[in-house]
Amino acid sequence: MSFVPEDLPQLPPREAESHKGTYGRALLIGGSRGMSGAIAMAGMACLRSGAGLVKLATPDACLDTVAGFEPSFMTAPLPCDEAGRISLAAKDALGRLAAGQSCIGLGPGIGRSADLTELIGWLYDTLEMPVVVDADALNALAERGFSRPPAPRILTPHPGEFRRLVGDESLSLDAQPDRAVQLADELGVVVVLKGHRTLITDGRRSARNTSGNPGMATGGSGDVLTGVITALVCQGLRAFEAAQLGVYVHGLAGDLAAEEYGEVSMIASDLLDLLPEAFQELAE
């Protein structure tokens, strides 16, 4: 097991008198033709991380595929373009779906288009609940530009996505942490700068993650992280604490997977399978 930081946040024990609504409602927005697995894994990670109700809003073209991954989450079809990506015509539906949600996960498998750039910018600027932003949703924000949002936002870029967010493709890895702290402070967001010893910062506080390994550098790993953090926000953790705990649990699941399968053979679905054991280890 990885070294557990003394200040690592914890989920409170579940009360005997509780129900699924007690643990939050998550809406995950993403997926596209050819990338159905990304939003499905984010949804499964959200369920495995304790969210009470999980709904996936995904293009109608790939809804049946997404729904087939896991019977425990709900799905909502969205209008899509000829390439099977969410279209701007989904704006009203997304506004209705977002109402009453505890947290939104935005980006896994969503793809890129002019419609999506406009739609993602609108969601980022207007949703009055926490939003976890990942993958091509980050690239859309980098293209469109963004400012201080009306509610908590957790941005989860890898180094390439972070360079695009700050508009500096030459920014070195060594310089990125300081720039991440600056960006978080300027915009009032939490930045999760992914990599070796992932940095979590809100501009005032910063933490370095101690779990994880190179085997997690595999497609879908970030989608799992989006689901984990979204679920923790749903259960009442504030944005910084949810990001810090989510990154650690995600990495711990990766360490358990490395013990079982080795770093070379690890795939993202292994993290899903080992999230329960990771949460159990933390609880013990």
Side-chain angles (χ1 to χ4, degrees), residues 40-91:
M41 284 196 295
M44 289 187 281
C46 198
L47 285 166
R48 285 295 190 189
S49 300
L53 288 163
V54 177
K55 180 174 287 185
L56 275 53
T58 195
D60 184 61
C62 58
L63 181 78
D64 291 345
T65 301
V66 171
F69 277 92
E70 172 53 53
S72 300
F73 48 57
M74 300 172 287
T75 54
L78 297 174
C80 57
D81 60 21
E82 293 181 355
R85 300 169 301 208
I86 299 169
S87 72
L88 193 58
K91 185 175 181 179

Side-chain angles (χ1 to χ4, degrees), residues 120-141:
I120 289 164
W122 171 74
L123 291 166
Y124 185 90
D125 289 344
T126 62
L127 290 181
E128 295 185 353
M129 69 282 294
V131 181
V132 182
V133 188
D134 186 34
D136 275 326
L138 292 168
N139 292 324
L141 291 179

